[in-house]
Structure formats: structure tokens, C-alpha cells
Amino acid sequence: MSTLTPKVKNTSTSPEKTNIKIEDDRTGMNKETLKRAFLDHLFYIQGVDRSKASLRDYYMALSYTVRDRLLHRFLKTIETYKKEEVKIVSYFSAEFLMGRHLGNNLVNLGIYDTMKDIMTEMKIDFEDIIEQEPDPGLGNGGLGRLAACFLDSLASLAMPAIGYGIRYEFGIFHQTIQDGWQVEIPDNWLRFENPWEIARPDDAVEIKLGGHTEHTHDENGNPKTFWVADSTILAVPYDTPVPGYDTNTVNPLRLWKAEASENFNFEAFNAGQYDRAVQEKMDAETISKVLYPNDNTPAGRKLRLEQQYFFVSASLQDLIRIHLRNHNNLDHFADKVAVQLNDTHPAVAVAELMRLLMDKHNYQWEKAWEITTKALAYTNHTLMPEALERWPVSIFGELLPRHLEIIYELNHRFLEDQRTYFPGDDDLITNISLIEEREEKLIRMANLACLGSHAINGVAALHTELLKQDTLKHFAKLWPEKFFNKTNGVTPRRWILLSNPKLSALVTEKIGDGWLKNLDEMRKLEKFADDAAFRKQWREIKQQNKQSLADYLLKYRNIKIDPNTMFDVQVKRIHEYKRQHLMVLEIINLYNRIKENPNADYVPRTFLFGGKAAPGYFMAKLIIKLINAVADVVNNDPDVRGRLNVVFMPNFNVSLGQRVYPAADLSEQISTAGKEASGTGNMKFAMNGALTIGTLDGANIEIREEAHPENFFLFGLTAHEVYDRKAQGYSPSEYYHNNGSLKAVIDRISSGHFSHGNGELFGPIVEQLMNDDPYMLMADYQAYVDCQDAVSEAYRDQENWTRMSILNSARMGKFSSDRTIAEYCSEIWNVKPVDIKIAEYNPNGANN
Ligand SMILES: *Cc1c(COP(=O)(O)O)cnc(C)c1O
């Protein structure tokens, strides 16, 4: 039966009904037409026939076949938005971690199974073709992946939307492991043609940088400012069509590439300085050259600010251009566009929109400010003060002199106002100021974003509460009505249907396919938790997914794992606050136990890790080395063989995630409480039937609530307890001295047992744990070990484990990004779905 195409879509008029000959039905969805289109593309685009075609030729031909079917929906979507003058969401994000397009586009178009059948009939391995696509890694982790899930949900809910970002030539680096250490390889993902993007050079816009400002007055005597920049570059848009599932909506993801503007190097060129002319062209292009591989740490580099300004200015100019096609002025700009700032990376939009409105479109300050704040909204993604972006005034002013003036003026007016409301409250004024007054003055981008937005949101209930009580408490005091919670979600299309086709088929067989558009329908599975035959099917699918992951790791990474052990998985960026090293402490504890008592009965486990460390993040890289060092010893010790296995899977990305989440038995969500804003990996695991071991952090709290506490392995301090312990004076070494097993674990590391006798290698980790332990591993250690013991006991009872697994999947409806997006649409953006009516493709455009 059909697996990935639960519903046959019929947006294509069938040839029978209309008397169009098959060869004229240019973008039909039936098998004959698709096959014909595939072969045509192979021949006419790739220039090969079947005897010469490589896997990449097949991938390209297949992709163009799919793209053709996206394009008329795409054009129709844009035309409809323009004609109906609807309000549009524009999602500004420095990162979009889209994952591979081919499989997802086939799913959303409803032709996955048809295409797979065609390939099978032609004896072409469909999996191999999917594997040809480079994973478009234009993001670091959760934040970029959230943006991608949101685009899928927006299109699937038929919401008018456009994603704006940067077309990085190099995405997140490719991670290899050498001698246990992370080694970064550049990700040249555009080396071969990208069939999913369409360049739109006609829509290029100019971006100014540097220089100074000049102040005069206009003919009415109003102040007027000119920005005399010292360089101008071009922003060229590339559009990637983003289709919704089971709708005709195909929204644009518009990513900007930096190029030298045409007359940029004219002078040098004429003066015979050809090399200088070329150099300047290269300098201009560096702006969109590479994604900064930092997750939750600001880069603080001038080029990063250039990137932020570059895509924000280009996107706002684009939105203004679009608005002025239908309107005479920008008075109602904010009624027609909602701009969402994904973290503070695009927060310079506050100053840029003010500049465009005042300097280019002649608005006075007050009106410009009204439009700006009405248009913008801001999503905060972190509570950690060190992760909040702050730019030195010197760097900022050198690059964006006009924006610095605007920010100073904004700050002056803002603080004057608040002083009248809260006279004498110096603490408040110091905290809300856009400028942090130090020897080196800093611009606080979170404060700028709060001031310039009509809505501010956190990404999980706890996160929003802590924002209001702590990180942004002064703004919450000024404007409580501006604060919203929008708990994150993930798209069930990519993260269940595409990643876990077997489970999807079983679910659809039992409850129909409504869950794909309304994940709450998964609740209908609850009643099958007590059905032994169903549990058996459920368990067999998990087993097959584990086997598939094992096969994949063997085939592509030369890693051998045993699918008959529990798969205990932590995949996410490597970060101290996420505490991969807490899981390592538990592994060493189990190792010590087995060594001490080799004949006891243990539940065999494979501990699987995956994740990248920021290249400059020393501790994160040392944690990777520690994992691999422990793996090396544990996996080669005959005493523990078969019971304890540790694997670090290199280069964790969306594609690997699609294989890992469905294969996990246990999901590790063990961050220090109060540090993880939401997490989304936690949702992907639970949807696919993994049980969670986790702290009361981020969305774990809500996942536990939904799954019910008895189906969740909880341990550790709460966010408030973490805060109180620190306030009381936390002394981690006491735990070492008072806990024999913890002492044995730490001593194993410092003895050099995992580092060929070199006791120094992991010294920085040990010293941190013993001295200040900012992430409280020592305080949570025993609770974690006890909880892991409870997990092992629970796993012995496979019937009950399966029951819990089913109930977890069945109760994750809340964590569909469709729910999240529906909330943003109604409560923050005020946008409504738009029906895209589509006639069959006609080369003469007659029936549109
Ligand atoms: C979902 C996802 C993340 C986020 O994982 P968390 O566990 O929420 O930190 C990071 N990277 C990739 C590739 C993902 O798919």
C-alpha cells in the first residue's frame, strides 16, 4: 500500500478528462507523464542517455522534474498574493537549515510513491539518488531548523509567507573525526548546480556600507539626513520554492547573495589596475561567503555585522518595493507585512526600517516609528547572558554611521520617556538602555529588538516565564502586554512521514491520514497501546529502523553497531550547557560497574552521540575527544563487550537526523535546567516513539505534561533550584568527596585511563567540574545515574516500554509546528490563509 503518499492529490487535470494528450500535459502528476519528464530532463538538461547517466544525472533529472511541478504553483501563489493584496509574513532569519529538498518536495506534492515506483521499474536505486543531494546546511542547529519547519508549516497552512536570509556559499562545515578530535572541512554545497534555486538578478538591490552622514533641511524646513557611504554592493536574490503539504501553496524562500555592484570597480579597472578591480569584487562577495559556525555564541566580528545588515537591508528594500507596486506610499506597510525577527541576528531591522522610511521615503520620526513597531516582532532564543548579541559602538558606527545616529536618537527619546514614568529608577534605566556603558560602549541588540517590536516571544512556557522574570524583566515591567509564549514545534511531514515511512504507514492504516495535517489526531493511537498485536507491530518497526541506522552507519561511515541493544541517543550541537559530558560520566560509571562485577545482568546499550562543536569552542571540542577516547577503551575491552558500546557519529545534520530520531529507544535531553530555551530534537524523538530521559528544561516540561509523567524519565534540579544553589554558594567538590561512584568516575578520567596514561589531556574538564561546575553536573550526577537505572529496569519489560512509546507518539500533537505557526498567525501576525486556485499548466497561459 501507499506509504508516503497517503492521499492522492488531484490538482492535475487528467489527460482523459480534458483530451490533452499526455505529452501536452506538461506538469501532470500521473506516472506516465512523470516518467516521460524524467527521461526528457535526463536527455535535454543533463545531456546523457541511460547508458551514460551517473547517479548525479539521475538526481538532477529527477529534481528538475519535481521543480517543474513546483513552479507553476509557485508563480500562481505569488500572483494570487499580489492580486488579492493579502497581508504577508516575512520571516527574517540568518539561518535556514532546510535539509534535503528532493524527498520532502515529493512528499508535499503527493508524488513520492509514484516516483519511487518509476525508479524501481527503471532499476534505479531511489535511496542512492536521494543521497546525491548535498544537505543544504545554511544553519547551525535548532534555530535554523526551526525556521525551516516554520516555512513548511506556513505553506502547509496556506499562509502567505516569505522567508528571507543569506545564500551562504559555504554552509555549516563538514565534520570529520581524526584521532578522536573534530576536524572541520569546508562545505562547498554549491559546487554542482543547485536545481532548487532560481536566480532573480532583476530584483537585485544595492546595499551601502561605511562612510558618514550629512544633515540638511528639506524644502519644508524639516531635518533631512543623507548617508554618504564609502562602498556599495549588490544583493542578488535566489528563490527556493517551498511547497506546502497537500495544498497548492508554494511560498518563496528568498536568499541573498552578495556581489560587486557593476560600477564598483570601474575606476580601478580604467586605471589599469585589473588586479585591484578583481580584488574588490572578491571582497564584496565575502559577505555571503560563509555561515558563522557558532551556535548560541555571538561572533563579534565585523563581517558578521555586515552579513546581518546585508540581508536585513536587502529584504526590507524588497518588501518596500513589493508594497509600492500596489500602493502609493508606505502608510499601510504594516497592515500588509508582518516581519518576524528570528533572534537578534536581524535586529538591525529596527534602525534600517526607520532609515528607509525617513531618509528615502520622507516620513517624519513619529510616523516612521509607528510603522516600524507595528511591522516588527521579535523571537528571543536564549536566556544565557553571554549569548546575547552586543556590538561595540566603534565597529557599528564605522559600518553603519546612520544607523548609529538613529539608535542614539531612539535611546534618547526612549529613556527620556521612561524617566518621566519611573523617576529615580536608575536601575531600570541602566537595564533598558540600548547602550551598555563600559570603557567600550556596546549596543544591546536584544534591547533594540524589544523596543522596536510590538510583540516579543519566548519559545517554550518555562523560557517565556524566565524571560519575564529575569533576562527581559525590565521590558516585561514596561510592556507586559507585548510578551507572548510560542512553544516551538517541528513539521510532522519531514520528521515523521519522510523520516519514518514504516511507522507512518502503520499509523495511517489504523487512524487514517488526517494526522499529517492535524497531529492531534495521533491521540487516536492511545487505544492501541493496550493492543498486544499492535504493540508487536510497533516494536518491529522500531527494530527495523534500528537495523536501517546500523546498515547506514556501516555502509557510509564504517561504524558497526548492534541493533539488539538499547539505542541511547544524544544528538545536538555540542555545548557545555547541553551536558554531553554528563552522559559520559554515566557511561564511565557503567563501565566501572561492569569491570567490578562482570557477571551481573546488564541491559545492553549502545550510546550514540552526534553533533558539531563551534570551531573555536575549546571545551566542546574536548568533550568530543573525551567521548571518542571513552569509546575507544570501552568498545575494545573484552569484559564489557556486547553490553556497553559508545559511538560518535560524525557530521550530524538534518539527513542523519532523519535516520537517527526514528531509530532511538531513549532520547537524552539533559541540559542544566533553565539553559535550553526549548529544544526541538526532544520533540522529534518523542514523535517517533523514543522515551525521554530529561530535566525540567525548555519544552521537556511540556512534553512530559503531554505524555504524562509516568511515561517520562525525569531527574535533576529545577531551574529555580539551580538558581538557589548558586546563590547559596555551590561547592561541586563536596559531591566528589561524598559520592564513591562519582569519585571513581572522575578519578578514572584524571588517571589517564582514557588517554594512554596522559592525566593532563582532560584536565580542563575535570578541573571545571571540581572547581566551579557552572552547569551543575556534579549536583545532578546521582539523580541521573539513578534515573538511568530506572530506564534499564523499564526496558526489560518490553511490553510496557512499547506501551509508553506508543503513548508518547500519540500525545505529541502539540509539538507540530502547524500548531505553533497557527498561534503566531492569529496572535502576532494577523495573517489568514489564502486559497491558491490552480488550473493545469498551459504554455499559452490561456486557462489561468
Ligand atoms: C532538530 C535539530 C537540532 C536541534 O536539536 P536540539 O536537540 O533541540 O538541540 C539540531 N540540529 C539538527 C540537524 C536538527 O535536526
Side-chain angles (χ1 to χ4, degrees):
M1 77 155 273
S2 159
T3 54
L4 285 142
T5 312
K7 198 181 285 174
V8 177
K9 284 175 49 113
N10 200 4
T11 45
S12 165
T13 318
S14 75
E16 295 79 6
K17 273 189 236 155
T18 55
N19 300 324
I20 302 172
K21 286 199 279 338
I22 279 172
E23 54 269 35
D24 294 336
D25 185 10
R26 178 67 177 67
T27 54
M29 301 285 212
N30 67 64
K31 200 161 159 185
E32 274 315 301
T33 312
L34 287 169
K35 183 171 176 179
R36 174 63 182 274
F38 171 69
L39 290 171
D40 279 353
H41 283 121
L42 200 59
F43 192 84
Y44 291 108
I45 303 289
Q46 292 307 104
V48 292
D49 61 23
R50 283 215 59 192
S51 70
K52 292 277 184 334
S54 67
L55 283 175
R56 185 174 309 115
D57 289 324
Y58 287 138
Y59 162 70
M60 293 300 287
L62 191 46
S63 298
Y64 280 116
T65 304
V66 174
R67 191 178 104 164
D68 289 346
R69 278 140 190 90
L70 293 175
L71 279 181
H72 68 292
R73 289 170 175 77
F74 185 44
L75 300 189
K76 196 72 194 173
T77 301
I78 292 168
E79 184 192 311
T80 307
Y81 295 164
K82 188 176 168 190
K83 207 186 292 173
E84 299 185 8
E85 296 189 15
V86 297
K87 185 172 185 186
I88 298 184
V89 181
S90 67
Y91 198 80
F92 281 27
S93 180
E95 303 185 12
F96 285 93
L97 193 52
M98 297 296 282
R100 287 180 174 143
H101 294 291
L102 177 56
N104 194 249
N105 287 345
L106 287 167
V107 158
N108 282 12
L109 283 171
I111 54 174
Y112 187 97
D113 291 334
T114 314
M115 206 56 103
K116 193 172 175 183
D117 288 349
I118 294 170
M119 293 299 118
T120 309
E121 281 172 17
M122 296 177 74
K123 305 215 163 25
I124 300 169
D125 189 321
F126 190 55
E127 287 275 303
D128 281 348
I129 296 184
I130 300 267
E131 283 293 313
Q132 292 305 304
E133 182 175 353
D135 194 308
L138 306 188
N140 273 288
L143 173 142
R145 184 54 231 175
L146 182 76
C149 283
F150 280 4
L151 293 186
D152 182 86
S153 285
L154 281 160
S156 297
L157 294 170
M159 294 295 180
I162 174 164
Y164 278 112
I166 300 171
R167 181 181 177 273
Y168 300 105
E169 194 175 325
F170 292 87
I172 186 70
F173 62 85
H174 184 95
Q175 178 194 55
T176 63
I177 300 296
Q178 286 171 31
D179 187 29
W181 296 97
Q182 167 175 297
V183 174
E184 301 93 19
I185 311 282
D187 165 47
N188 194 1
W189 73 293
L190 292 170
R191 182 170 54 241
F192 306 107
E193 198 183 336
N194 172 9
W196 304 108
E197 67 182 8
I198 300 153
R200 305 283 192 198
D202 289 347
D203 287 351
V205 296
E206 291 197 332
I207 309 294
K208 297 200 274 186
L209 295 169
H212 63 275
T213 60
E214 288 173 8
H215 300 269
T216 60
H217 289 86
D218 67 12
E219 58 274 20
N220 302 322
N222 292 315
K224 187 79 200 163
T225 305
F226 291 95
W227 175 13
V228 185
D230 51 33
S231 64
T232 302
I233 56 166
L234 268 193
V236 181
Y238 285 69
D239 290 346
T240 301
V242 180
Y245 175 80
D246 196 28
T247 69
N248 289 322
T249 300
V250 178
N251 284 326
L253 167 59
R254 175 158 274 202
L255 302 179
W256 301 96
K257 174 179 193 274
E259 289 188 4
S261 77
E262 277 127 59
N263 44 17
F264 187 65
N265 40 31
F266 192 64
E267 219 172 287
F269 188 74
N270 278 350
Q273 293 172 301
Y274 178 72
D275 52 345
R276 207 187 104 202
V278 172
Q279 184 60 46
E280 289 180 5
K281 177 172 162 52
M282 282 167 48
D283 290 348
E285 292 181 356
T286 53
I287 290 189
S288 58
K289 188 64 78 180
V290 60
L291 167 77
Y292 275 94
N294 293 334
D295 187 70
N296 266 307
T297 41
R301 299 277 295 274
K302 186 171 167 216
L303 180 60
R304 172 69 176 179
L305 181 60
E306 285 174 1
Q307 289 185 338
Q308 296 182 347
Y309 178 65
F310 165 77
F311 97 87
V312 163
S313 177
S315 309
L316 287 172
Q317 290 186 59
D318 200 43
L319 289 170
I320 288 173
R321 181 183 57 79
I322 292 169
H323 189 84
L324 292 178
R325 283 193 317 217
N326 280 347
H327 304 85
N328 295 326
N329 56 48
L330 296 167
D331 292 1
H332 298 288
F333 181 72
D335 298 326
K336 293 296 172 188
V337 55
V339 176
Q340 189 67 31
L341 309 177
N342 194 22
D343 211 325
T344 55
H345 315 145
V348 70
V350 177
E352 173 66 357
L353 187 49
M354 286 296 283
R355 181 187 75 85
L356 291 167
L357 290 167
M358 294 189 301
D359 299 358
K360 284 189 87 167
H361 298 278
N362 301 314
Y363 282 88
Q364 295 302 303
W365 183 280
E366 287 73 17
K367 184 64 187 170
W369 186 239
E370 186 192 318
I371 296 170
T372 298
T373 52
K374 209 173 151 196
L376 302 184
Y378 158 57
T379 303
N380 173 286
H381 284 269
T382 184
L383 296 161
M384 294 187 292
E386 68 273 23
L388 293 173
E389 285 194 300
R390 279 131 68 237
W391 288 105
V393 163
S394 53
I395 293 181
F396 197 97
E398 198 186 307
L399 194 69
L400 304 171
R402 176 61 179 138
H403 301 78
L404 184 59
E405 281 179 0
I406 291 171
I407 287 171
Y408 273 135
E409 176 67 18
L410 270 175
N411 201 37
H412 175 74
R413 291 173 182 241
F414 176 45
L415 297 185
E416 284 290 279
D417 257 12
Q418 298 309 326
R419 278 196 192 98
T420 62
Y421 295 129
F422 302 96
D425 194 344
D426 292 342
D427 180 57
L428 177 84
I429 298 299
T430 311
N431 278 288
I432 61 177
S433 173
L434 303 185
I435 309 292
E436 194 161 311
E437 304 286 347
R438 305 197 175 185
E439 318 92 274
E440 175 163 59
K441 288 187 185 178
L442 301 171
I443 303 177
R444 295 163 164 162
M445 300 308 275
N447 290 24
L448 179 63
C450 286
L451 179 61
S453 298
H454 69 276
I456 300 161
N457 75 282
V459 290
L462 173 72
H463 171 62
T464 303
E465 275 318 300
L466 295 175
L467 275 183
K468 289 196 280 191
Q469 286 165 23
D470 189 24
T471 315
L472 298 178
K473 66 179 174 202
H474 299 97
F475 289 99
K477 180 171 160 188
L478 302 189
W479 311 303
E481 72 287 352
K482 270 203 200 184
F483 282 75
F484 296 82
N485 176 246
K486 293 286 157 273
T487 298
N488 283 167
V490 301
T491 168
R493 273 75 62 180
R494 183 178 291 270
W495 293 114
I496 306 179
L497 181 58
L498 186 61
S499 306
N500 201 343
K502 295 189 176 87
L503 195 81
S504 301
L506 176 64
V507 171
T508 296
E509 184 192 316
K510 293 293 178 193
I511 66 170
D513 66 2
W515 60 276
L516 283 158
K517 300 201 86 172
N518 177 9
L519 198 61
D520 289 327
E521 289 194 16
M522 288 279 276
R523 279 213 187 267
K524 294 179 190 164
L525 285 181
E526 281 181 348
K527 66 169 184 282
F528 294 103
D530 295 320
D531 174 339
F534 183 83
R535 286 201 301 268
K536 183 156 175 288
Q537 287 177 296
W538 189 268
R539 208 157 43 237
E540 282 169 2
I541 288 166
K542 179 62 79 182
Q543 192 58 33
Q544 288 164 14
N545 292 341
K546 290 166 74 173
Q547 185 68 54
S548 301
L549 177 63
D551 294 345
Y552 174 84
L553 290 177
L554 190 61
K555 179 171 171 187
Y556 290 95
R557 318 270 168 124
N558 200 26
I559 295 171
K560 208 169 171 228
I561 57 173
D562 178 2
N564 295 312
T565 60
M566 183 204 299
F567 281 7
D568 180 345
V569 188
Q570 188 171 23
V571 285
K572 48 182 75 239
R573 284 301 287 257
I574 311 294
H575 229 296
E576 290 161 277
Y577 83 79
K578 291 177 184 278
R579 302 200 295 192
Q580 278 88 2
H581 48 335
L582 180 58
M583 196 165 144
V584 175
L585 298 185
E586 159 68 358
I587 293 167
I588 298 171
N589 172 51
L590 292 178
Y591 173 75
N592 286 345
R593 274 195 209 165
I594 297 173
K595 293 296 277 183
E596 221 168 87
N597 194 356
N599 299 318
D601 184 18
Y602 299 96
V603 173
R605 284 201 203 203
T606 300
F607 291 89
L608 290 153
F609 292 88
K612 295 173 185 176
Y617 188 172
F618 170 75
M619 284 298 266
K621 290 183 126 177
L622 192 59
I623 290 170
I624 292 177
K625 174 65 178 172
L626 177 63
I627 293 166
N628 284 308
V630 170
D632 221 27
V633 169
V634 167
N635 299 348
N636 293 305
D637 187 325
D639 291 351
V640 298
R641 188 156 295 158
R643 300 193 272 192
L644 199 54
N645 234 279
V646 182
V647 167
F648 188 90
M649 300 174 286
N651 202 43
F652 179 66
N653 59 8
V654 171
S655 299
L656 184 54
Q658 287 174 213
R659 297 175 183 278
V660 169
Y661 295 115
D665 293 304
L666 187 65
S667 157
E668 297 270 352
Q669 307 300 335
I670 59 177
S671 52
T672 315
K675 299 287 182 194
E676 187 75 87
S678 164
T680 48
N682 45 6
M683 302 166 186
K684 301 171 206 166
F685 277 111
M687 283 178 187
N688 284 286
L691 302 192
T692 305
I693 181 165
T695 49
L696 284 177
D697 202 15
N700 294 354
I701 296 173
E702 293 157 79
I703 290 173
R704 178 170 172 268
E705 249 166 46
E706 294 292 308
H708 298 185
E710 68 273 20
N711 301 310
F712 186 105
F713 296 97
L714 178 72
F715 76 96
L717 299 175
T718 65
H720 291 291
E721 285 166 353
V722 166
Y723 183 90
D724 290 344
R725 291 284 172 99
K726 286 197 176 162
Q728 290 157 13
Y730 169 57
S731 166
S733 59
E734 277 173 31
Y735 292 89
Y736 171 87
H737 292 296
N738 296 328
N739 185 329
S741 101
L742 176 57
K743 180 170 186 304
V745 167
I746 299 282
D747 291 349
R748 272 274 195 220
I749 301 173
S750 27
S751 74
H753 189 82
F754 305 108
S755 39
H756 307 284
N758 176 1
E760 310 278 274
L761 182 60
F762 300 115
I765 292 176
V766 170
E767 277 155 34
Q768 196 200 51
L769 292 178
M770 295 293 286
N771 294 331
D772 55 342
D773 188 23
Y775 300 100
M776 300 260 187
L777 282 80
M778 305 292 271
D780 274 345
Y781 169 83
Q782 193 58 48
Y784 181 56
V785 167
D786 293 344
C787 194
Q788 285 285 23
D789 288 343
V791 168
S792 287
E793 279 318 302
Y795 195 74
R796 289 179 194 277
D797 181 353
Q798 279 291 299
E799 288 300 338
N800 193 46
W801 183 278
T802 310
R803 220 183 148 269
M804 293 197 281
S805 165
I806 295 166
L807 291 176
N808 265 269
S809 283
R811 294 170 176 171
M812 289 303 112
K814 176 174 179 186
F815 306 104
S816 167
S817 45
D818 296 348
R819 187 271 312 153
T820 316
I821 283 298
E823 289 179 10
Y824 275 99
C825 285
S826 67
E827 294 166 38
I828 295 181
W829 300 331
N830 189 27
V831 298
K832 303 201 165 44
V834 174
D835 189 31
I836 308 298
K837 293 196 180 55
I838 186 144
E840 193 41 52
Y841 171 82
N842 177 334
N844 303 316
N847 60 0
N848 279 312

